[in-house]
Amino acid sequence: MPIKHSGTSVTAVSSRSYSLISHLKTHRALFTVTFFAILSVVFLCHLFVSPIMLTATPSGTDRYHTLFLSLASNYTAARHLRILTTHPHVAGSGANSDLAIYVSGVLSSHSFHTHFSIHSVLLSRPLSRSLTLSVPNLSDDRHSPRTFSFALTQRTYSDDPYAKQASEVTPTFHAFAKSGTAVGAVVYVNYGRVEDYQSLREKGIDVSGAIVLARYGKIYRGDIVRNADTAGAVGVVVYTDRTDYGGGGRGIGFPMGKWMPESGVQMGMVYMGVGDPTTPGWGSSRDGDCERLSVEEMEKMGVFPRIPSLPVSMKDGEMILKEIGGPEAEKAWQGGGDSDGGGEEMVYRLGPGPAFLNLSYHGKNEFKNIQNVFGVIEGEEEPDRYILLGNHRDAWAFGAADPNSGTAALLEIAERFHKLQKKGWKPRRTIMLCNWDAEEYGMIGSTEWVEGNKELITSKVVAYLNVDVAVAGSGFNAAATPQLDDLIKEATKKVQDPDNSSRTLYESWTVTPGSSPLVERLGRSGSDHVSFVHHVGIPSSDIYFSQDYPVYHSMFDDFVWMKKYGDPMFHRHAAAGSVWGLIALKLADDEFLPFNYLSYVTELLASTKELEDNLSQTSISVVPIYNSIKELKKAANKISADKKALEVNSSPLKWKKKNPLKVRELNDRLMMAERAFTDQEGLVGRIWYKHLIYGPSVNDDYGSKTFPGVDDAVKNAKKENTKESWQSVQHEVWRVSRVISQVSFVLTGEFC
């Protein structure tokens, strides 16, 4: 008998259940078919959808980068620059310490974690200076010679808003100049280069015992003094010529024009080292509790001049030139001097004499505390990987272009980063803004920090992005280690030219349509990239706007000059910040570091071919370098393939993510490769410089050389022309070959 339940029989219930189960099975089958159909579509899309379609929608970081560009503020840059240039602020001064506090305060207000690094370092200041010109009365030797004492001052002008602060400007001098007095007949030596002295010798003119008059413009002033000493001179006067700083002799001086006024003087150091002279190769401490070289040891190293020197204005230089006799200088040595104040060009003569100079300089080297300021945004995914943006703060006077156009751009970037953070942006890697001190005395602030943190920097810093003079006029320029070339170019494609709104900066930077802009190399010294590139081997860059910068290192590099001539609307400051900041954002946010070592291959091949041509008349072989470059090319291609493999093996829908450890390992290879271009033995005779691919010229600290060790050895071999000297050249070729091979091993991640 059927069991009854709620008025429905079991048979009826079973029948309905079967029907329901059958219905569910049908739907499950349909669901299964539909599910796998969707999976198939996704799979096919993954195989066949074009990369352009997959990347058509900008990523989250790309949207933040676009927002960063839209936040550019020329007003913010101008406001900061006006404050930064209110007073002269040479390193070690109270005014410069006040600005350190200002920079720290601005960074803190924008949510940066700020701190100082303070170092006790050796600086230099003048105590007394004098320069007297004596001209014998050749027509009547019974009369005393005519004499004139130079005031050695930079003069203010009518309605100068900084006239009151002008008294705070350091008297014109050369930092770390030799104290002493020198008397001698004057010889004009053009730019004071090695080849200029060779030309004088060929003309039979000896500078031994003379005071030489050289003009600024081609080489580092320290090399001008050293070359004079090597040639036998007893003193050096360096002046600003109208040809180089006065618009070719036809320009109008500031304030009516942008050119150096007649009383303007270019100051600067003549020290031949990098960093605190008392701590070469190791960092100085705040309390001075560190090893230091004695005066005797420093003099033995040859980093300080052995003869006194002074910088003078174009007006003072021309007064001396008028009194020099002897043979007429060749055309290339003629300058833009005004012979009578009426516009008639002066004829430059070589001497010696009949004019005599009596030069006296007495200075004091003393220890002062300097302050580097840092602002940090910690990375969210890789906090132990650092992107550094650096600029120095100290100036010889007001420093509107050098360096505080860069400081203003740095602070304007900080404000933009703060606004991005408020929108939710968090960098993948840590960003650190660095404001260095005492750069003008030999990149001391940055060098002491690098030397004191060498191992941490080597293991953690991805790149260093330097800006010294951000703006000193129109025209964009960039210099970098080659793996950053493409990144810089891509950044300029996204920034509008501040001087032509219809073009991108990249289009204006390109010399001819369809060509690629020239990125210079960072072999030169003279700014804060030096320790990062030459001593440790960190990928680095430097960008700036400038074609002419005539008021360089003078009292007239002030806010008025910048507002009238350097950047009237401060749009160049904003553009510099945009390029600088965008490069930093790409390095901080991109999953894979945007380094391209094939650019290095191209550069090395071109440089090796040039070296081969220069050595064609010798027995030196550059085949070892060519062979190592071939391996570097393979390594660069391999790491690119490794990167693509990681990208291909991950799903666009994130169902299969990249292995983070493999991404990290690949990035570490890219980051560490530049280190391998260094050799701990350094350059021969210049052991602080470790980079064997790029470095400063031995005869010009401002000149960039590829294969500097080879170049030094070739110069020496041509001079000595011995078997041993040419063997040294071949040895340097092998050294270059070996470091290139080491880079290949790092990029592949494989032992040899």
Side-chain angles (χ1 to χ4, degrees), residues 148-447:
F148 181 83
S149 295
F150 296 97
L152 303 177
T153 58
Q154 301 182 85
R155 295 191 301 274
T156 60
Y157 55 89
S158 177
D159 298 323
D160 184 351
Y162 296 103
K164 185 176 181 180
Q165 292 95 315
S167 61
E168 303 168 20
V169 175
T170 303
T172 55
F173 82 121
H174 282 151
F176 296 116
K178 174 75 172 178
S179 289
T181 299
V183 179
V186 189
V187 177
Y188 171 57
V189 296
N190 198 24
Y191 293 106
R193 300 167 295 188
V194 170
E195 56 266 37
D196 292 330
Y197 286 100
Q198 177 62 33
S199 177
L200 288 171
R201 283 192 292 272
E202 291 171 358
K203 293 178 172 63
I205 297 174
D206 185 6
V207 303
S208 297
I211 291 181
V212 299
L213 178 68
R215 53 174 169 163
Y216 282 119
K218 296 297 182 183
I219 64 174
Y220 168 55
R221 70 190 72 78
D223 287 299
I224 294 176
V225 177
R226 183 178 61 176
N227 293 342
D229 177 29
T230 302
V234 295
V236 186
V237 175
V238 191
Y239 79 103
T240 304
D241 195 275
R242 295 177 193 268
T243 295
D244 307 287
Y245 297 90
R250 296 288 183 267
I252 300 174
F254 181 73
M256 301 306 295
K258 73 174 184 178
W259 303 101
M260 181 77 95
E262 287 188 339
S263 72
V265 177
Q266 180 191 133
M267 292 187 280
M269 67 166 185
V270 289
Y271 163 51
M272 295 302 296
V274 179
D276 182 353
T278 69
T279 60
W282 63 92
S284 59
S285 65
R286 175 176 183 170
D287 55 11
D289 185 20
C290 60
E291 180 186 6
R292 293 191 186 276
L293 297 185
S294 65
V295 173
E296 292 75 18
E297 288 172 317
M298 288 187 287
E299 289 180 346
K300 187 177 180 180
M301 288 177 63
V303 294
F304 289 152
R306 301 190 306 173
I307 58 176
S309 65
L310 278 175
V312 300
S313 66
M314 64 175 64
K315 184 175 183 180
D316 292 348
E318 288 169 5
M319 181 172 288
I320 297 169
L321 282 163
K322 290 175 186 176
E323 304 299 340
I324 297 177
E328 183 176 326
E330 59 193 84
K331 184 177 180 180
W333 288 39
Q334 296 295 326
D338 186 350
S339 64
D340 59 3
E344 183 179 344
E345 288 188 3
M346 180 192 308
V347 175
Y348 288 31
R349 297 186 178 277
L350 302 175
F356 269 70
L357 283 174
N358 186 319
L359 183 162
S360 179
Y361 171 77
H362 292 279
K364 182 178 182 181
N365 296 340
E366 57 188 353
F367 287 99
K368 291 276 191 178
N369 279 345
I370 62 169
Q371 301 160 306
N372 297 326
V373 184
F374 301 93
V376 179
I377 304 175
E378 188 173 12
E380 185 174 40
E381 297 180 49
E382 298 183 75
D384 62 336
R385 292 292 179 263
Y386 288 77
I387 314 302
L388 273 52
L389 292 80
N391 155 267
H392 75 94
R393 182 182 65 257
D394 64 299
W396 286 118
F398 297 98
D402 183 9
N404 297 131
S405 60
T407 316
L410 189 73
L411 297 180
E412 194 264 336
I413 287 173
E415 183 173 312
R416 291 198 234 179
F417 284 171
H418 178 51
K419 291 178 179 178
L420 291 186
Q421 286 180 292
K422 290 197 291 185
K423 293 290 186 180
W425 167 74
K426 295 179 181 179
R428 179 187 180 96
R429 304 178 185 91
T430 296
I431 292 176
M432 179 184 287
L433 306 189
C434 312
N435 188 229
W436 309 114
D437 201 350
E439 186 270 356
E440 297 294 3
Y441 280 87
M443 291 68 71
I444 291 180
S446 58
T447 300

Side-chain angles (χ1 to χ4, degrees), residues 350-621:
L350 302 175
F356 269 70
L357 283 174
N358 186 319
L359 183 162
S360 179
Y361 171 77
H362 292 279
K364 182 178 182 181
N365 296 340
E366 57 188 353
F367 287 99
K368 291 276 191 178
N369 279 345
I370 62 169
Q371 301 160 306
N372 297 326
V373 184
F374 301 93
V376 179
I377 304 175
E378 188 173 12
E380 185 174 40
E381 297 180 49
E382 298 183 75
D384 62 336
R385 292 292 179 263
Y386 288 77
I387 314 302
L388 273 52
L389 292 80
N391 155 267
H392 75 94
R393 182 182 65 257
D394 64 299
W396 286 118
F398 297 98
D402 183 9
N404 297 131
S405 60
T407 316
L410 189 73
L411 297 180
E412 194 264 336
I413 287 173
E415 183 173 312
R416 291 198 234 179
F417 284 171
H418 178 51
K419 291 178 179 178
L420 291 186
Q421 286 180 292
K422 290 197 291 185
K423 293 290 186 180
W425 167 74
K426 295 179 181 179
R428 179 187 180 96
R429 304 178 185 91
T430 296
I431 292 176
M432 179 184 287
L433 306 189
C434 312
N435 188 229
W436 309 114
D437 201 350
E439 186 270 356
E440 297 294 3
Y441 280 87
M443 291 68 71
I444 291 180
S446 58
T447 300
E448 297 313 300
W449 187 77
V450 169
E451 291 176 341
N453 296 280
K454 191 182 303 181
E455 299 308 319
L456 277 176
I457 291 169
T458 299
S459 63
K460 293 176 180 288
V461 174
V462 172
Y464 174 68
L465 311 176
N466 189 64
V467 169
D468 190 326
V469 180
V471 180
S474 62
F476 180 76
N477 302 271
T481 48
Q483 73 274 70
L484 292 174
D485 285 5
D486 289 352
L487 178 58
I488 295 170
K489 292 173 185 177
E490 288 303 311
T492 60
K493 290 177 182 178
K494 298 179 180 180
V495 177
Q496 185 184 80
D497 181 358
D499 297 297
N500 187 342
S501 60
S502 66
R503 307 175 75 178
T504 65
L505 201 53
Y506 179 87
E507 291 169 330
S508 295
W509 184 22
T510 304
V511 178
T512 56
S515 66
S516 183
L518 174 65
V519 180
E520 299 172 355
R521 295 298 153 229
L522 283 175
R524 58 180 168 78
S525 184
S527 194
D528 289 305
H529 66 273
V530 173
S531 295
F532 292 95
V533 178
H534 300 159
H535 195 60
V536 181
I538 304 293
S540 300
S541 69
D542 188 26
I543 64 166
Y544 60 99
F545 281 89
S546 181
Q547 288 180 326
D548 300 300
Y549 178 23
V551 294
Y552 173 64
H553 280 194
S554 76
M555 185 178 78
F556 304 100
D557 181 7
D558 61 16
F559 188 82
V560 175
W561 184 89
M562 181 63 72
K563 185 72 172 64
K564 291 182 72 173
Y565 305 111
D567 191 9
M569 299 301 294
F570 288 87
H571 289 153
R572 294 168 191 155
H573 281 74
S578 292
V579 176
W580 193 9
L582 187 57
I583 294 169
L585 287 172
K586 293 289 290 181
L587 289 166
D589 290 339
D590 281 13
E591 184 176 25
F592 292 101
L593 292 176
F595 289 168
N596 181 6
Y597 275 89
L598 287 173
S599 294
Y600 238 121
V601 171
T602 302
E603 286 288 311
L604 288 171
L605 283 172
S607 297
T608 305
K609 180 61 169 66
E610 182 179 350
L611 176 63
E612 183 179 36
D613 292 343
N614 291 339
L615 295 173
S616 61
Q617 302 302 313
T618 73
S619 61
I620 303 300
S621 171

